[in-house]
Amino acid sequence: MAKQVRAAKERVDRGLPLPDASLTLTALIDRYLAEGIDPNAAPNTRSAAAGVGRLVAKRIGGRKVIRLAPSDVSNLCSAMLEEGYSNSYAARVRTFLGQVLKFAEAEGLVARNVASLSRSSSFAPKERDRLTKSEVVALVDAARGDRLEALVVVLATLGLRPGESTGLVWQDVDIDEGTVTIRRSLKRHSDPNTGTQVLRLGPTKTAGSVRTLALPAIARAALRRRHVAQAAERLAAGPYWRINEGLVFATEIGTPIDPADLQRTVRRVAEKAGISKRVSPYDFRHAAISVLSDAGVSGERIADVAGNDAKTALSVYRRPMGPVVDDAVGPMDALFGTD
């Protein structure tokens, strides 16, 4: 008891409020979701955080915050792994609790962040069964004749993020020069009038993601065909064609392509290619980066192609060597051919 009294006195002397012994983890999570998340965070970010929060609250939400220990976090994640949750999701839960408790620490509600003290090595994501070079070639071949063939080709050869590819607009494509500039991304946003989720063009993931890429021959030819095909679709749609800011990849009436529809397209192409493993749009990004790495392209130039955030001291101080990043062209032309 004397030790608790001394600790309480020290907090008061430091100008900190006394911890609320009745505060539960569920109540803290609710407060974090209402006050702790960046108000400019994307709707998807908020939705994902709320989903993780519900899971945590359901399992250990009744625990008093001041009684939480690092083992509570570790045991929760271990139990999830035993139940079949992925390593990456267990790691996400630990990260979420770390953010919640960091918020609580800043507010003077807890003395320490027990999530940051919990075991983390057990939650390292397992390596996924990535696409091989032959599988990427098979996917591109299987996409031939598909309405969204060019989208598959762009994903495979440039390694764009899915939202960057579906957010590509014609004014950023120069087929004659053979370049494409990535400066937008298609994302879900909450409509201020209805509150419903709608697809809208927004900025890329980071300012460093804006880049101009040279087009491999197969992508250049596919985009040329897409331009002709879209003109025919627009003519056929007539008054039903939607104004879509010049999206390169859109539905047959010009509306943005929903991420779920993109996923279905990729699965359809994978099935046609005879690939049984689960393939997602992001797998093309991993595969493209692997092709460049195997071809001997430096990590710095690969980062330029992929539009990654700087992760190391070297990339923090590095600058692109030219206005047009053409490192993807040679390896991709060698893999797919020039026609």
CSV table of all heavy atoms in Angstrom, one decimal, residues 159-193:
chain,number,residue,atom,x,y,z
A,159,GLY,N,4.3,-2.5,-61.5
A,159,GLY,CA,4.2,-2.7,-60.0
A,159,GLY,C,3.5,-1.6,-59.3
A,159,GLY,O,3.8,-1.3,-58.1
A,160,LEU,N,2.5,-1.0,-59.9
A,160,LEU,CA,1.7,0.0,-59.2
A,160,LEU,C,0.9,-0.5,-58.1
A,160,LEU,O,0.5,-1.7,-58.1
A,160,LEU,CB,0.8,0.7,-60.2
A,160,LEU,CG,1.4,1.3,-61.5
A,160,LEU,CD1,0.3,2.1,-62.2
A,160,LEU,CD2,2.6,2.2,-61.1
A,161,ARG,N,0.6,0.3,-57.1
A,161,ARG,CA,-0.4,0.0,-56.1
A,161,ARG,C,-1.7,-0.1,-56.8
A,161,ARG,O,-2.0,0.6,-57.8
A,161,ARG,CB,-0.4,1.0,-55.0
A,161,ARG,CG,0.9,1.1,-54.2
A,161,ARG,CD,0.8,2.3,-53.2
A,161,ARG,NE,2.1,2.4,-52.4
A,161,ARG,CZ,3.1,3.1,-52.8
A,161,ARG,NH1,3.0,3.9,-53.9
A,161,ARG,NH2,4.2,3.2,-52.0
A,162,PRO,N,-2.6,-1.0,-56.4
A,162,PRO,CA,-3.9,-1.1,-57.0
A,162,PRO,C,-4.7,0.2,-57.2
A,162,PRO,O,-5.2,0.5,-58.3
A,162,PRO,CB,-4.7,-2.1,-56.1
A,162,PRO,CG,-3.7,-2.9,-55.5
A,162,PRO,CD,-2.5,-2.0,-55.3
A,163,GLY,N,-4.7,1.0,-56.2
A,163,GLY,CA,-5.4,2.3,-56.3
A,163,GLY,C,-4.7,3.3,-57.3
A,163,GLY,O,-5.4,4.1,-57.9
A,164,GLU,N,-3.4,3.1,-57.4
A,164,GLU,CA,-2.7,4.0,-58.4
A,164,GLU,C,-3.1,3.6,-59.8
A,164,GLU,O,-3.2,4.4,-60.7
A,164,GLU,CB,-1.2,3.8,-58.2
A,164,GLU,CG,-0.6,4.4,-56.9
A,164,GLU,CD,0.8,4.2,-56.7
A,164,GLU,OE1,1.4,3.2,-57.4
A,164,GLU,OE2,1.5,4.8,-55.9
A,165,SER,N,-3.3,2.3,-60.0
A,165,SER,CA,-3.6,1.8,-61.4
A,165,SER,C,-5.0,2.2,-61.7
A,165,SER,O,-5.3,2.7,-62.8
A,165,SER,CB,-3.4,0.3,-61.5
A,165,SER,OG,-4.2,-0.4,-60.6
A,166,THR,N,-6.0,2.0,-60.8
A,166,THR,CA,-7.4,2.3,-61.1
A,166,THR,C,-7.6,3.8,-61.1
A,166,THR,O,-8.6,4.3,-61.5
A,166,THR,CB,-8.3,1.6,-60.1
A,166,THR,OG1,-7.9,1.9,-58.8
A,166,THR,CG2,-8.3,0.1,-60.4
A,167,GLY,N,-6.6,4.6,-60.5
A,167,GLY,CA,-6.7,6.0,-60.4
A,167,GLY,C,-6.0,6.7,-61.6
A,167,GLY,O,-5.9,8.0,-61.6
A,168,LEU,N,-5.4,6.0,-62.5
A,168,LEU,CA,-4.7,6.5,-63.6
A,168,LEU,C,-5.6,7.3,-64.6
A,168,LEU,O,-6.7,6.7,-64.9
A,168,LEU,CB,-4.0,5.4,-64.3
A,168,LEU,CG,-2.8,5.8,-65.3
A,168,LEU,CD1,-1.7,6.5,-64.6
A,168,LEU,CD2,-2.3,4.5,-66.0
A,169,VAL,N,-5.2,8.5,-65.0
A,169,VAL,CA,-6.0,9.2,-65.9
A,169,VAL,C,-5.2,9.5,-67.2
A,169,VAL,O,-4.0,9.5,-67.2
A,169,VAL,CB,-6.5,10.6,-65.3
A,169,VAL,CG1,-7.4,10.4,-64.1
A,169,VAL,CG2,-5.3,11.4,-64.9
A,170,TRP,N,-6.0,9.7,-68.3
A,170,TRP,CA,-5.3,9.8,-69.6
A,170,TRP,C,-4.4,10.9,-69.7
A,170,TRP,O,-3.4,10.9,-70.4
A,170,TRP,CB,-6.4,9.8,-70.7
A,170,TRP,CG,-7.0,8.5,-71.0
A,170,TRP,CD1,-8.3,8.1,-70.8
A,170,TRP,CD2,-6.4,7.3,-71.5
A,170,TRP,NE1,-8.6,6.8,-71.1
A,170,TRP,CE2,-7.4,6.3,-71.6
A,170,TRP,CE3,-5.1,7.0,-71.9
A,170,TRP,CZ2,-7.1,5.0,-72.1
A,170,TRP,CZ3,-4.8,5.7,-72.4
A,170,TRP,CH2,-5.8,4.8,-72.4
A,171,GLN,N,-4.7,12.0,-69.0
A,171,GLN,CA,-3.8,13.2,-69.1
A,171,GLN,C,-2.4,12.9,-68.5
A,171,GLN,O,-1.5,13.7,-68.8
A,171,GLN,CB,-4.4,14.4,-68.4
A,171,GLN,CG,-4.4,14.3,-66.9
A,171,GLN,CD,-5.1,15.6,-66.3
A,171,GLN,OE1,-6.3,15.8,-66.5
A,171,GLN,NE2,-4.3,16.3,-65.6
A,172,ASP,N,-2.3,11.8,-67.8
A,172,ASP,CA,-1.0,11.5,-67.2
A,172,ASP,C,-0.3,10.4,-68.0
A,172,ASP,O,0.7,9.8,-67.5
A,172,ASP,CB,-1.2,11.0,-65.7
A,172,ASP,CG,-1.5,12.2,-64.8
A,172,ASP,OD1,-1.2,13.4,-65.2
A,172,ASP,OD2,-2.2,12.0,-63.8
A,173,VAL,N,-0.9,10.0,-69.1
A,173,VAL,CA,-0.4,8.9,-70.0
A,173,VAL,C,0.1,9.6,-71.3
A,173,VAL,O,-0.7,10.2,-71.9
A,173,VAL,CB,-1.4,7.8,-70.2
A,173,VAL,CG1,-0.8,6.8,-71.2
A,173,VAL,CG2,-1.8,7.2,-68.9
A,174,ASP,N,1.3,9.4,-71.7
A,174,ASP,CA,1.8,9.8,-73.0
A,174,ASP,C,2.3,8.6,-73.7
A,174,ASP,O,3.4,8.1,-73.6
A,174,ASP,CB,3.0,10.8,-72.8
A,174,ASP,CG,3.4,11.5,-74.1
A,174,ASP,OD1,3.2,10.9,-75.1
A,174,ASP,OD2,3.8,12.7,-74.0
A,175,ILE,N,1.3,8.0,-74.5
A,175,ILE,CA,1.6,6.8,-75.3
A,175,ILE,C,2.7,7.0,-76.3
A,175,ILE,O,3.6,6.2,-76.5
A,175,ILE,CB,0.3,6.3,-75.9
A,175,ILE,CG1,-0.7,5.9,-74.8
A,175,ILE,CG2,0.7,5.1,-76.8
A,175,ILE,CD1,-2.0,5.4,-75.4
A,176,ASP,N,2.7,8.2,-76.9
A,176,ASP,CA,3.7,8.5,-78.0
A,176,ASP,C,5.1,8.5,-77.4
A,176,ASP,O,6.0,8.0,-77.9
A,176,ASP,CB,3.4,9.8,-78.7
A,176,ASP,CG,2.1,9.7,-79.5
A,176,ASP,OD1,1.8,8.6,-80.0
A,176,ASP,OD2,1.4,10.7,-79.7
A,177,GLU,N,5.2,9.2,-76.2
A,177,GLU,CA,6.5,9.3,-75.6
A,177,GLU,C,6.8,8.0,-74.8
A,177,GLU,O,8.0,7.8,-74.4
A,177,GLU,CB,6.6,10.5,-74.6
A,177,GLU,CG,6.6,11.8,-75.4
A,177,GLU,CD,7.9,12.0,-76.2
A,177,GLU,OE1,8.9,11.6,-75.7
A,177,GLU,OE2,7.8,12.6,-77.2
A,178,GLY,N,5.8,7.2,-74.5
A,178,GLY,CA,6.0,6.0,-73.7
A,178,GLY,C,6.2,6.2,-72.3
A,178,GLY,O,7.1,5.6,-71.6
A,179,THR,N,5.5,7.2,-71.7
A,179,THR,CA,5.7,7.4,-70.2
A,179,THR,C,4.3,7.5,-69.6
A,179,THR,O,3.3,7.8,-70.2
A,179,THR,CB,6.4,8.8,-69.9
A,179,THR,OG1,5.7,9.9,-70.5
A,179,THR,CG2,7.8,8.7,-70.5
A,180,VAL,N,4.3,7.3,-68.3
A,180,VAL,CA,3.1,7.5,-67.5
A,180,VAL,C,3.5,8.1,-66.1
A,180,VAL,O,4.5,7.8,-65.6
A,180,VAL,CB,2.4,6.1,-67.2
A,180,VAL,CG1,3.3,5.2,-66.5
A,180,VAL,CG2,1.1,6.3,-66.4
A,181,THR,N,2.7,9.1,-65.7
A,181,THR,CA,3.0,9.8,-64.4
A,181,THR,C,2.0,9.4,-63.4
A,181,THR,O,0.8,9.4,-63.6
A,181,THR,CB,3.0,11.3,-64.6
A,181,THR,OG1,4.0,11.7,-65.5
A,181,THR,CG2,3.2,12.0,-63.3
A,182,ILE,N,2.5,8.9,-62.3
A,182,ILE,CA,1.6,8.4,-61.2
A,182,ILE,C,1.5,9.6,-60.2
A,182,ILE,O,2.5,9.9,-59.5
A,182,ILE,CB,2.2,7.2,-60.5
A,182,ILE,CG1,2.6,6.1,-61.5
A,182,ILE,CG2,1.2,6.7,-59.5
A,182,ILE,CD1,1.5,5.7,-62.4
A,183,ARG,N,0.3,10.2,-60.1
A,183,ARG,CA,0.2,11.3,-59.2
A,183,ARG,C,-1.2,11.3,-58.5
A,183,ARG,O,-1.4,12.1,-57.6
A,183,ARG,CB,0.3,12.7,-60.0
A,183,ARG,CG,-0.8,12.9,-61.0
A,183,ARG,CD,-0.7,14.3,-61.6
A,183,ARG,NE,0.1,14.3,-62.8
A,183,ARG,CZ,1.3,14.9,-62.9
A,183,ARG,NH1,1.8,15.5,-61.9
A,183,ARG,NH2,1.9,14.9,-64.0
A,184,ARG,N,-2.0,10.2,-58.7
A,184,ARG,CA,-3.3,10.1,-58.1
A,184,ARG,C,-3.5,8.7,-57.7
A,184,ARG,O,-2.9,7.7,-58.2
A,184,ARG,CB,-4.4,10.6,-59.0
A,184,ARG,CG,-4.3,12.0,-59.5
A,184,ARG,CD,-5.4,12.3,-60.5
A,184,ARG,NE,-5.4,13.7,-60.9
A,184,ARG,CZ,-4.7,14.1,-61.9
A,184,ARG,NH1,-3.9,13.3,-62.6
A,184,ARG,NH2,-4.7,15.4,-62.3
A,185,SER,N,-4.5,8.5,-56.8
A,185,SER,CA,-4.9,7.1,-56.4
A,185,SER,C,-6.4,7.1,-56.1
A,185,SER,O,-6.9,8.1,-55.6
A,185,SER,CB,-4.1,6.7,-55.1
A,185,SER,OG,-4.4,5.4,-54.7
A,186,LEU,N,-7.0,6.1,-56.5
A,186,LEU,CA,-8.5,5.9,-56.3
A,186,LEU,C,-8.7,5.3,-54.9
A,186,LEU,O,-8.2,4.2,-54.6
A,186,LEU,CB,-9.1,5.0,-57.4
A,186,LEU,CG,-10.6,5.0,-57.5
A,186,LEU,CD1,-11.2,6.3,-57.9
A,186,LEU,CD2,-11.1,3.9,-58.4
A,187,LYS,N,-9.4,6.1,-54.1
A,187,LYS,CA,-9.7,5.6,-52.7
A,187,LYS,C,-11.1,5.8,-52.3
A,187,LYS,O,-11.9,6.6,-53.0
A,187,LYS,CB,-8.8,6.5,-51.8
A,187,LYS,CG,-7.3,6.4,-52.1
A,187,LYS,CD,-6.5,7.3,-51.2
A,187,LYS,CE,-5.0,7.3,-51.5
A,187,LYS,NZ,-4.3,8.3,-50.6
A,188,ARG,N,-11.5,5.1,-51.3
A,188,ARG,CA,-12.8,5.3,-50.8
A,188,ARG,C,-12.8,6.5,-49.8
A,188,ARG,O,-11.9,6.7,-49.0
A,188,ARG,CB,-13.3,4.0,-50.0
A,188,ARG,CG,-13.5,2.8,-50.8
A,188,ARG,CD,-14.2,1.7,-50.1
A,188,ARG,NE,-14.3,0.5,-50.8
A,188,ARG,CZ,-15.3,0.3,-51.7
A,188,ARG,NH1,-16.2,1.2,-52.0
A,188,ARG,NH2,-15.3,-0.8,-52.4
A,189,HIS,N,-13.9,7.3,-50.0
A,189,HIS,CA,-14.1,8.4,-49.1
A,189,HIS,C,-15.5,8.5,-48.7
A,189,HIS,O,-16.4,8.0,-49.3
A,189,HIS,CB,-13.7,9.8,-49.8
A,189,HIS,CG,-12.3,9.9,-50.2
A,189,HIS,ND1,-11.3,10.4,-49.4
A,189,HIS,CD2,-11.6,9.5,-51.3
A,189,HIS,CE1,-10.2,10.4,-50.0
A,189,HIS,NE2,-10.3,9.8,-51.2
A,190,SER,N,-15.8,9.1,-47.5
A,190,SER,CA,-17.1,9.3,-47.0
A,190,SER,C,-17.8,10.5,-47.7
A,190,SER,O,-17.2,11.6,-47.6
A,190,SER,CB,-17.1,9.4,-45.5
A,190,SER,OG,-18.4,9.6,-45.0
A,191,ASP,N,-18.9,10.3,-48.3
A,191,ASP,CA,-19.7,11.4,-48.9
A,191,ASP,C,-20.2,12.3,-47.8
A,191,ASP,O,-20.9,11.8,-46.9
A,191,ASP,CB,-20.8,10.9,-49.7
A,191,ASP,CG,-21.5,12.0,-50.5
A,191,ASP,OD1,-22.0,13.0,-49.9
A,191,ASP,OD2,-21.6,11.9,-51.8
A,192,PRO,N,-19.8,13.6,-47.8
A,192,PRO,CA,-20.3,14.5,-46.7
A,192,PRO,C,-21.8,14.7,-46.6
A,192,PRO,O,-22.3,15.0,-45.6
A,192,PRO,CB,-19.6,15.8,-47.0
A,192,PRO,CG,-19.3,15.8,-48.5
A,192,PRO,CD,-19.0,14.3,-48.8
A,193,ASN,N,-22.5,14.4,-47.7
A,193,ASN,CA,-23.9,14.6,-47.7
A,193,ASN,C,-24.7,13.4,-47.3
A,193,ASN,O,-25.7,13.5,-46.6
A,193,ASN,CB,-24.4,15.0,-49.1
A,193,ASN,CG,-23.8,16.4,-49.6
A,193,ASN,OD1,-23.7,17.3,-48.8
A,193,ASN,ND2,-23.3,16.4,-50.8
